[in-house]
Amino acid sequence: MDILVTGGTVFASRFTAEYFAKAGHNVYVFNRGSRPQPEGATPIIADRHDLGDILRHRHFGAVIDVTAYNGQDVEHLLDGLGSFDNYILISSSAVYPETLPQPFRETDKCGENSIWGRYGTDKIAAEKALFRRVPNAYVLRPPYLCGPMNNLHREAFVFECAEQDREFYLPKQGEMKLQFFDIGDLCRVMEAILQKQPAQHVFNVGNEKAVTIKEWVSLCYKTVGKTPRFEYVAENIPQRSYFPFYDYEYFLDVSAMSSLIGKLTSLEESLRSSYEWFRNNRRSIVRKPLKEYIDKEFRKEKP
């Protein structure tokens, strides 16, 4: 199959391109050519907002849109495409209002989430724009993605703290729960969709169980071969100043996804793969000043 992957140079889009290329497909990626290209894929240097006729003569068995963040992104890509058989959009769990009962289900009404703000409403607009023009398209709504090629300062931040034998500062008592999903499993879901063509067209995707942030940090430290020493931070200090996730606990119902694929990658295995990639790609991490804040505000009297 000829597959077009948008982006292809960073984390989810890069892993997706290389995953399908390794599976034997003819993978094309289109991006602006400002970063190294994925292995095994053919680059098409273009801007999705100014495609002209560069894609008009091509037919793709699948378009995997990893980098659409709003309705205009989807509209401009569709305007520039030729023919295609399948379209898969990677959306987000941020489309669910935090006021809904949990777990969030695909049939729940989407709406503004005060935690995610415009990011979530823009993703809703992207979904609507797609279904208006491609009613048989597929939309995937993941929670926090993890695994190799993750250049965000999430598990990478914890890995660094573990390597440096730092105590770790947790919000409150560390009981907030998070739901993760391995990037490889996301690709397996897309592969299953292309093969099975399910009647359902919107899928929540994610691990079947959530973990507390204390459990997650402990697993990250264990991956590095260390055991964390925890310090707990009061509620009145902004969480994102010293911890990589919002003060927001939510959970997705992923039962429909579970009918598509078998056993998922364990969080432990996902973190091992992530750490292996991280050790060789430290400069790729988009860092935030979390340790700097901790050192300034929490460790003033520590050696």
Side-chain angles (χ1 to χ4, degrees), residues 60-256:
F60 296 105
V63 174
I64 301 178
D65 195 351
V66 189
T67 59
Y69 294 99
N70 55 51
Q72 191 176 67
D73 288 346
V74 171
E75 295 280 6
H76 287 177
L77 177 56
L78 289 172
D79 289 344
L81 283 172
S83 59
F84 57 89
D85 297 323
N86 300 278
Y87 195 119
I88 299 176
L89 172 69
I90 306 302
S91 183
S92 169
S93 55
V95 300
Y96 297 112
E98 77 277 17
T99 52
L100 289 174
Q102 296 189 32
F104 299 143
R105 294 176 170 82
E106 293 93 341
T107 53
D108 288 337
K109 185 176 181 180
C110 296
E112 183 177 359
N113 182 302
S114 66
I115 306 298
W116 294 105
R118 183 172 177 179
Y119 173 76
T121 54
D122 280 351
K123 281 290 191 179
I124 294 171
E127 291 186 12
K128 289 181 177 179
L130 177 59
F131 282 129
R132 276 197 301 267
R133 296 181 58 174
V134 189
N136 65 339
Y138 291 95
V139 166
L140 304 184
R141 296 171 177 167
Y144 294 111
L145 292 173
C146 59
M149 300 189 188
N150 186 0
N151 66 324
L152 300 176
H153 208 198
R154 290 175 178 168
E155 59 254 45
F157 165 65
V158 188
F159 292 152
E160 290 172 339
C161 291
E163 289 177 336
Q164 296 166 20
D165 285 315
R166 294 170 65 101
E167 67 275 27
F168 196 88
Y169 289 81
L170 274 178
K172 304 168 190 175
Q173 294 301 309
E175 296 303 313
M176 184 179 79
K177 290 185 177 180
L178 299 177
Q179 188 175 22
F180 291 96
F181 197 44
D182 183 78
I183 183 60
D185 288 340
L186 178 66
C187 291
R188 290 174 57 219
V189 171
M190 290 189 280
E191 197 169 42
I193 285 173
L194 294 176
Q195 292 171 353
K196 299 177 181 180
Q197 298 288 300
Q200 182 170 326
H201 285 264
V202 177
F203 287 91
N204 290 338
V205 296
N207 289 351
E208 294 170 336
K209 293 183 178 180
V211 295
T212 67
I213 54 177
K214 187 174 183 178
E215 291 170 330
W216 175 72
V217 170
S218 296
L219 285 174
C220 290
Y221 269 70
K222 183 180 178 181
T223 302
V224 182
K226 302 292 179 65
T227 301
R229 307 182 310 279
F230 289 114
E231 299 280 350
Y232 298 98
V233 181
E235 295 184 25
N236 60 338
I237 298 177
Q239 182 168 306
R240 287 267 286 177
S241 60
Y242 64 93
F243 187 71
F245 293 100
Y246 286 108
D247 183 9
Y248 175 46
E249 178 179 293
Y250 70 95
F251 190 67
L252 303 172
D253 179 336
V254 296
S255 54

